[in-house]
Amino acid sequence: MENQEMLLEALKEIEKWEQDQKDLWFWEKLGRIPFTLLDRITPNIVHEWLGKILDELGGYIQTGGQYLISEKEILTQLAKEAQLRPDYLTLDKVPALPLHTMDKVAEELKESRKQFATMQGATTGFGGVFTLAIDIPALLGLSLKVLQEMALSYGYNPKDKHERIFIVKCLQFASSDFVGKQAIIKELASAETAQVGESISKLEGWREVIYTYRDNYGWKKLFQLVPVVGIIFGAYINRSTIDEVSEAGQMLYRKRRVLEKLARMDSDDGLAKYNI
């Protein structure tokens, strides 16, 4: 059974992870410069896709668009891990599951999506610049998919607009430098956990997220522009991107769930003292 000590230990692990988030290394920072050069040598179709992604990300925040996923698969995995009947478990019951059950499913999903991203990057890297136009929206779609899966794994509904905003913040976190990451952590920690959606509803200029996401390709994507050779770079870049995105989503959602469980325990203890 879960107890307060176990949850506090989990919280310490998450906070250590937050502190361990390092700044971008030199080549990553340098990699943000070449995009002005890349713009000049990139075919118009790639520019069109980048523009379309900006609009689609805005649409995702507002309605979920084409990126919303079904919760059935995740609930089935959670039920199996918790040894429950698949038809018994609903999303509103997930918060009552043990944290280790949520962690196990989230970790399995992360590994699975990393493998898929590796294959996807290798495939789109084969054609160089011609398939880069396919790779960019595909990678964004996979990023949003895995973040929604992390949300569901910890009992949060990505169909809720506030959760979609939180998901975009996770995407921004994964693509930010050290200063940006610490600012996001501070922002998310500034409000009560139960009001986390409200605290980030002030998110403005969401386009900066995709600009950061785009710039994060930098010099690495330059190598992917070369046909065939791009297989190696495409596989590596996509795998590392999904690894960073899914880890950010897993840890930030895990923190929310731990804090909510602790708050619930404190509330129950308080009620018990007054025989309520």
Side-chain angles (χ1 to χ4, degrees):
M1 291 292 292
E2 243 169 19
N3 56 46
Q4 193 174 51
E5 185 178 350
M6 293 168 61
L7 291 173
L8 287 172
E9 187 61 35
L11 186 59
K12 284 183 181 179
E13 292 175 4
I14 298 167
E15 290 174 344
K16 183 179 184 302
W17 172 83
E18 290 176 341
Q19 293 301 316
D20 287 344
Q21 295 302 296
K22 295 180 173 59
D23 199 358
L24 293 173
W25 60 308
F26 174 75
W27 290 108
E28 292 283 353
K29 289 183 177 180
L30 187 64
R32 293 175 183 255
I33 300 173
F35 233 94
T36 54
L37 301 176
L38 184 60
D39 282 342
R40 299 176 185 175
I41 62 175
T42 301
N44 287 335
I45 188 172
V46 176
H47 290 298
E48 290 172 7
W49 270 112
L50 288 171
K52 185 178 179 181
I53 287 173
L54 288 169
D55 294 333
E56 287 184 356
L57 189 59
Y60 170 74
I61 291 175
Q62 296 299 323
T63 67
Q66 61 177 309
Y67 296 110
L68 277 178
I69 64 172
S70 171
E71 61 190 52
K72 184 177 180 181
E73 179 186 349
I74 310 303
L75 290 178
T76 299
Q77 287 183 252
L78 286 165
K80 181 179 179 182
E81 184 63 32
Q83 299 182 334
L84 298 170
R85 296 195 323 271
D87 59 334
Y88 167 80
L89 190 63
T90 55
L91 188 57
D92 62 319
K93 294 177 181 176
V94 173
L97 295 177
L99 184 66
H100 68 80
T101 297
M102 302 175 186
D103 290 341
K104 182 74 180 298
V105 171
E107 192 64 33
E108 289 174 353
L109 287 167
K110 182 172 73 172
E111 291 304 314
S112 172
R113 301 316 173 213
K114 281 165 55 179
Q115 292 178 16
F116 183 81
T118 304
M119 292 185 290
Q120 175 184 288
T123 302
T124 54
F126 181 79
V129 68
F130 302 104
T131 48
L132 184 60
I134 301 173
D135 179 63
I136 293 173
L139 187 56
L140 175 65
L142 185 56
S143 297
L144 291 175
K145 175 182 172 66
V146 72
L147 287 171
Q148 289 179 86
E149 290 175 333
M150 293 300 147
L152 289 167
S153 297
Y154 288 93
Y156 298 96
N157 188 357
K159 293 179 182 177
D160 186 298
K161 182 179 177 180
H162 287 163
E163 290 307 327
R164 294 199 297 274
I165 294 174
F166 188 89
I167 283 170
V168 172
K169 294 299 287 186
C170 291
L171 185 65
Q172 186 180 17
F173 181 92
S175 299
S176 295
D177 57 16
F178 178 78
V179 175
K181 287 180 178 179
Q182 295 307 309
I184 292 172
I185 290 172
K186 184 177 180 180
E187 178 185 354
L188 298 181
S190 65
E192 294 295 328
T193 306
Q195 299 174 322
V196 68
E198 189 176 325
S199 73
I200 60 177
S201 63
K202 299 176 183 177
L203 178 66
E204 296 176 355
W206 50 262
R207 287 172 180 258
E208 73 183 49
V209 179
I210 197 61
Y211 285 134
T212 303
Y213 187 79
R214 181 198 72 169
D215 290 348
N216 198 38
Y217 288 128
W219 66 274
K220 295 182 293 187
K221 281 295 180 183
L222 287 173
F223 289 105
Q224 195 174 337
L225 293 176
V226 183
V228 183
V229 175
I231 294 175
I232 299 173
F233 291 100
Y236 170 76
I237 294 163
N238 285 21
R239 181 183 180 87
S240 60
T241 297
I242 294 303
D243 184 32
E244 293 167 0
V245 167
S246 58
E247 182 178 80
Q250 180 183 10
M251 298 303 280
L252 293 175
Y253 268 113
R254 186 178 187 229
K255 182 178 183 179
R256 281 179 63 185
R257 181 53 64 204
V258 168
L259 289 173
E260 288 185 15
K261 281 178 174 287
L262 285 169
R264 179 62 183 271
M265 285 184 177
D266 288 341
S267 175
D268 290 345
D269 287 345
L271 293 176
K273 289 177 182 178
Y274 292 98
N275 295 318
I276 297 176

